[in-house]
Amino acid sequence: MTVALLVIDVQEEALEGCPDAAGLLGRINDLSRRAGAAGVPVIFVRHEGVDGELVRDSPGWQFAAGLERDEGSHIVEKTFRDAFAHTELAALLERLGVRRLVVAGIHSDFCVQTTALSALIQGYDIALVSDGHATRPEPGGAPIPAEAIQAFITSRFSTLRYPGRTIEVLPAAEAAELLAE
């Protein structure tokens, strides 16, 4: 089974306000380097908002300054929370022979969760990197701490079952082993 690392929306604006942003970038960069060294495809997804956020070519739309991307990596542009919706992601994964995705990125409760669930529906096994996704605090009257949102998404995936699919939730250190298989 061919595996790929899927890094979702690690962009300047999306990273703002995420707790432990430097640690998150370090873990994602380590996974990306390990995947590249093992010949595993690395796919970076970049979101373009239609609501004034993450405007194409703006400073906030750019990949985060500390994000390392190898020349052999792939970039998929998206406009919906689901990285499969109206993108080339499914076709790219098919060309690469990928059946299992190691998923990391930003925002846990939006694009990471939606894309991982879509991947299951479309026939992919997933491994969510438990310390490789993050979000910002929920805005508004009674904010939810970002760490609570991340923990909630991680806990839901750790108990998720889907017919015929393998779902794992692993810390980056263990997810790195999947990329070396």
Side-chain angles (χ1 to χ4, degrees), residues 137-145:
E138 191 66 31
I144 301 170

Side-chain angles (χ1 to χ4, degrees), residues 5 29-42 70 72-73 179-180:
L5 175 62
N29 286 339
D30 182 60
L31 289 169
S32 180
R33 283 190 299 269
R34 289 173 183 256
V40 170
V42 180
D70 186 275
S73 65
L179 299 171

